[in-house]
Amino acid sequence: MPEALLQRLWYGGAGPAWLLLPLLLPLALIFSLLAALRRGLFRLRLIKSERLPVPVIVVGNINVGGSGKTPLVLWLVQLLREQGYQPGIVSRGYGGSLERPSLVTVESDPRVVGDEALLLARRAGVAVAVGADRPQAARLLLGQGVDVIISDDGLQHYRLARDIEIALIDGERRLGNRLPLPAGPLREPPRRLQQVDFVVCNGGEAGEGEVLMGLNPEGFENLQTGERRDPFDFIGRTVHAVAGIGNPGRFFDTLRALAIEPIEHPYPDHHPYAEGELRFDDRLHLIMTEKDGVKWQPFAGEQDWQLSVAAELPDGFVEHLLDRLKTIKR
């Protein structure tokens, strides 16, 4: 089923996409029951979680699609390093082809380790491990001197025991129609948010008890030469804008906020670009997200740039998070 049609059903309000709802509701009920059964088996310890000898912070969401997990993970890494910790990151490596857990380097192939894992390895400057078996992948980090592990997109990976859970919400789209997959975007029911330690709202208006996160443009980097430019160096220009992320519209809106006029080229999340795919019959600049940049870089020309962003969170959240981390005993 076309992803765009599902997105309209999940987030777009009334329209023809709603005609699909009667067909998808039985599947959604089955998904919801299976997810509840799985959570119950872990809760009753009939399926065991593995607890590691270092604290584990899980960053994730209860809905599919992008909500700002990668910028938040990078922000957490920087915060923890400033506090004297040596963090590491474990990720599923979605979109990659690895069959066994592996460490990621800055030279890794995104087709092998996944685009997000490679981006984290390049930006974070800490040990990153990927693998479908989260506990096994996380154990690789212990041999790298890591003393706290951040699990990227790991909220539903219950086999890895966690000490702190951070759930992200897209402040604009929220939880959509609040229905389970495939009738809606939810992996788990909304009440799951009441069980996590922190709910972080990316943009929009934070709800009661939520922490508001902002994403600030840091600057542009040329994918061929590595040249860096100020966030406002493309003011007034029309550019080709590429976003293969969960919510491409957020990226296009970010460019407009920088007074850039994007010709929008949305792609499915984790889209694998092929050589020549992003060539247009003009001399306009091409600007994309960092997650797209790690895949397009081998084919990049002199007109191709990526925009980096940085998460910003309130001091109160920093204090509460660090206090919670200090209470964890091993």
Side-chain angles (χ1 to χ4, degrees):
M1 186 173 298
E3 181 176 343
L5 193 60
L6 285 177
Q7 292 288 329
R8 286 196 293 273
L9 172 62
W10 296 349
Y11 299 109
W18 280 91
L19 297 174
L20 295 171
L21 196 57
L23 301 175
L24 297 178
L25 280 176
L27 297 175
L29 177 60
I30 294 172
F31 177 90
S32 182
L33 291 173
L34 291 176
L37 175 62
R38 181 172 176 272
R39 289 193 301 271
L41 292 175
F42 277 101
R43 191 176 302 114
L44 295 172
R45 299 182 183 274
L46 296 177
I47 302 178
K48 293 185 178 181
S49 299
E50 182 173 341
R51 188 164 296 280
L52 299 179
V54 300
V56 174
I57 302 173
V58 164
V59 176
N61 51 17
I62 65 170
N63 55 301
V64 298
S67 56
K69 292 184 296 294
T70 300
L72 179 55
V73 168
L74 292 171
W75 179 89
L76 284 169
V77 167
Q78 181 177 347
L79 172 67
L80 294 173
R81 295 181 77 178
E82 290 172 351
Q83 297 297 317
Y85 292 97
Q86 190 167 341
I89 303 169
V90 62
S91 177
R92 169 66 177 83
Y94 188 87
S97 60
L98 279 175
E99 296 182 358
R100 297 180 181 179
S102 177
L103 293 172
V104 181
T105 73
V106 296
E107 302 297 332
S108 293
D109 188 334
R111 295 169 297 181
V112 176
V113 302
D115 48 18
E116 289 174 345
L118 179 57
L119 172 57
L120 289 169
R122 290 181 175 179
R123 282 286 306 273
V126 298
V128 177
V130 295
D133 187 327
R134 292 278 179 132
Q136 187 176 351
R139 284 195 295 271
L140 294 177
L141 298 174
L142 301 179
Q144 304 298 308
V146 166
D147 56 16
V148 58
I149 291 174
I150 302 169
S151 179
D152 173 47
D153 195 19
L155 203 59
Q156 287 78 39
H157 292 267
Y158 291 111
R159 284 194 55 235
L160 179 61
R162 66 285 312 271
D163 300 281
I164 298 174
E165 289 186 326
I166 303 174
L168 270 148
I169 292 178
D170 185 315
E172 298 173 355
R173 303 195 299 181
R174 302 295 294 182
L175 302 181
N177 62 16
R178 302 176 70 88
L179 293 174
L181 288 165
L186 299 189
R187 300 165 170 170
E188 297 186 282
R191 64 178 179 274
R192 176 71 172 89
L193 295 176
Q194 302 171 11
Q195 303 165 359
V196 303
D197 297 277
F198 303 98
V199 177
V200 174
C201 177
N202 180 15
E205 294 186 9
E208 184 178 355
E210 297 176 359
V211 179
L212 184 62
M213 179 177 82
L215 293 180
N216 299 324
E218 289 187 309
F220 296 95
E221 180 180 352
N222 188 281
L223 289 168
Q224 184 182 79
T225 67
E227 176 191 352
R228 296 181 181 274
R229 288 192 181 182
D230 185 87
F232 299 101
D233 276 4
F234 289 90
I235 283 180
R237 298 193 187 188
T238 297
V239 304
H240 290 286
V242 170
I245 56 178
N247 183 6
R250 179 182 292 277
F251 177 68
F252 303 141
D253 288 343
T254 298
L255 294 180
R256 292 189 186 95
L258 295 172
I260 298 170
E261 184 57 40
I263 300 173
E264 299 180 7
H265 302 280
Y267 285 84
D269 199 9
H270 304 285
H271 179 72
Y273 298 102
E275 186 174 5
E277 185 172 1
L278 302 179
R279 290 292 169 236
F280 305 101
D281 295 329
D282 52 43
R283 291 293 296 168
L284 296 178
H285 288 90
L286 172 67
I287 297 178
M288 60 182 57
T289 73
E290 286 185 286
K291 193 166 85 169
D292 296 301
V294 298
K295 292 174 290 188
W296 181 246
Q297 189 171 26
F299 317 123
E302 61 181 12
Q303 297 287 91
D304 301 346
W305 300 77
Q306 65 181 9
L307 174 64
S308 60
V309 297
E312 182 179 11
L313 291 108
D315 292 340
F317 173 66
V318 173
E319 295 170 4
H320 288 143
L321 177 64
L322 294 176
D323 288 344
R324 177 74 180 84
L325 188 57
K326 290 174 183 176
T327 66
I328 300 170
K329 306 295 183 184
R330 285 290 189 270

